[in-house]
Amino acid sequence: MALQESTPKAQFRRTAEFHPSVWGDYFINKAPCDESAVAHLVSPLADKVSRALKRPLLKGVPKHEQWHHILIYQQDEACPGAVLKLAKLDFNVLQKCYQDELRIISRWDTSMEDLPDYMKLFFEALIGFFDEIEQETAKEGRPYCVHYCREMLKNQARAYLTEARWFNQDCVPQLEEYRRAGVYTSCSPMSAVAWICGMAETGSKEAFEWMSKNPKIVVASSDIGRLMDDITSHEFEQERGHVASAVECCMKQYGVSKEEAYDMLRKMVESDWKDINEELLKPSTVPRQILILMLNLARIIDVLYKDHDGYTEARNKTKELLTAFLVDPLPVVA
């Protein structure tokens, strides 16, 4: 398609094909991406363009994007009815799987009487989780999985202790020092290691070793989680007493305002996305499924924290997301 095409549908196709940039990609960096592109359009085309601008496909959770696009495309008379029906059935079948998994998770109980109440559920679930991993992975001939889980959990605990010391000493660390600890306090590496345990075909010892060395895509995905969380939640957390976030570290280190710190941190997040894209485009020593796992963790963060703290304040958009995934099936007309 020629770049000079300017019809609404041509503009949408160029927008939908937009990919976040990699280092040195001048054209994408200069591409216009704002809501002015939607002003002269009407639905459903306006909805398609608006969605593509708000969240490029690479940054969206795939099934969440499927749900959004089904709602948009069902307004389009040109959309084949059979294709739309198949898409809805596919989504509803997956939703049923999610509901079954949620029922299994909700059966966990707690009986750790010596722990504070707020820790009982977590600790019991953690012990059960490691036990289950050990049993299942041993059957698969991968007894090493639990070792890497425990080691990553230790790294996460050490990072939490570092933050606790900063808090108790009323210390605002240098931003880079904070970000190094944030790789683990983001919980992304621990989550990734736990998921790799369940990936029997690709969760090899080499994959765990690769994870333990903090490769670029792991650091970038984790940093996105830490920084985006801090940008949207730091004011609430400071009110209730919390270690200085990336925002406070940035403000102190560079002598900038809160808004200027936000801008600086958002640019760091975009740099992290470039690192992720770069790692996805070049050959890797680990299976691609492992790289996609780190991409998916960054996607979840973008969905939860792009506009607000969707984890702490889950009543609106996060509730809509969870309701779509776990409660309301899409209506399928025969």
Side-chain angles (χ1 to χ4, degrees), residues 50-333:
S50 180
R51 186 67 193 174
L53 289 173
K54 179 177 177 60
R55 180 159 288 112
L57 287 177
L58 184 70
K59 290 186 178 181
V61 176
K63 282 298 175 181
H64 187 220
E65 292 307 301
Q66 178 185 348
W67 180 79
H68 273 286
H69 284 279
I70 286 173
L71 298 184
I72 292 172
Y73 276 91
Q74 68 183 4
Q75 306 174 50
D76 192 341
E77 295 179 356
C79 179
V83 172
L84 184 62
K85 182 177 180 180
L86 182 61
K88 289 182 176 182
L89 289 171
D90 173 74
F91 184 89
N92 290 346
V93 168
L94 185 65
Q95 183 190 77
K96 179 63 177 173
C97 293
Y98 290 154
Q99 290 171 345
D100 292 341
E101 291 175 354
L102 186 61
R103 275 191 288 271
I104 293 171
I105 294 172
S106 65
R107 292 173 190 158
W108 282 344
D109 199 0
T110 147
S111 60
M112 309 300 291
E113 299 301 331
D114 294 333
L115 291 173
D117 288 342
Y118 72 92
M119 289 187 64
K120 289 179 180 178
L121 178 62
F122 169 77
F123 193 76
E124 179 73 10
L126 186 64
I127 295 299
F129 175 67
F130 280 149
D131 286 344
E132 185 176 349
I133 287 178
E134 195 163 31
Q135 294 171 16
E136 293 300 318
T137 56
K139 294 176 184 177
E140 299 166 354
R142 299 187 301 138
Y144 47 79
C145 292
V146 171
H147 165 74
Y148 288 98
C149 275
R150 287 172 176 157
E151 291 303 308
M152 191 61 76
L153 187 60
K154 290 177 186 177
N155 290 338
Q156 187 167 317
R158 291 186 190 105
Y160 284 147
L161 285 172
T162 297
E163 288 195 342
R165 283 195 292 270
W166 288 336
F167 177 75
N168 291 329
Q169 296 169 4
D170 198 23
C171 171
V172 180
Q174 294 285 295
L175 180 60
E176 287 308 310
E177 186 180 9
Y178 175 83
R179 290 173 75 184
R180 282 195 294 272
V183 169
Y184 296 109
T185 64
S186 71
C187 300
S188 290
M190 183 67 233
S191 299
V193 166
W195 273 317
I196 293 174
C197 287
M199 300 166 70
E201 296 182 2
T202 55
S204 64
K205 189 171 185 178
E206 289 74 21
F208 284 107
E209 282 292 325
W210 175 85
M211 275 290 305
S212 68
K213 295 175 182 176
N214 282 344
K216 183 185 289 186
I217 194 171
V218 172
V219 172
S221 178
S222 303
D223 197 47
I224 288 171
R226 182 71 278 151
L227 298 184
M228 291 191 71
D229 182 349
D230 285 1
I231 290 170
T232 57
S233 66
H234 79 102
E235 290 184 331
F236 165 73
E237 290 181 343
Q238 294 306 307
E239 287 176 1
R240 64 188 177 97
H242 199 275
V243 67
S245 74
V247 179
E248 284 76 39
C249 294
C250 191
M251 292 170 66
K252 180 178 180 180
Q253 183 171 340
Y254 297 104
V256 297
S257 67
K258 179 176 66 177
E259 287 72 21
E260 289 171 323
Y262 290 165
D263 290 340
M264 292 176 68
L265 296 175
R266 289 186 182 113
K267 288 177 182 177
M268 295 174 192
V269 169
E270 286 306 310
S271 294
D272 287 328
W273 273 108
K274 291 179 180 181
D275 283 341
I276 289 176
N277 297 331
E278 183 180 28
E279 293 299 290
L280 289 171
L281 289 172
K282 72 181 187 182
S284 174
T285 58
V286 296
R288 186 166 178 80
Q289 294 95 317
I290 307 294
L291 302 182
I292 296 300
L293 169 59
M294 300 314 304
L295 168 63
N296 285 339
L297 286 168
R299 284 167 161 170
I300 292 169
I301 293 298
D302 196 79
V303 170
L304 285 178
Y305 291 103
K306 184 172 184 178
D307 299 319
H308 69 292
D309 184 352
Y311 181 81
T312 304
E313 301 176 10
R315 292 185 297 273
N316 299 317
K317 291 185 178 179
T318 307
K319 181 178 179 180
E320 175 190 273
L321 185 153
L322 293 176
T323 300
F325 273 122
L326 300 172
V327 181
D328 296 336
L330 289 168
V332 180
V333 179

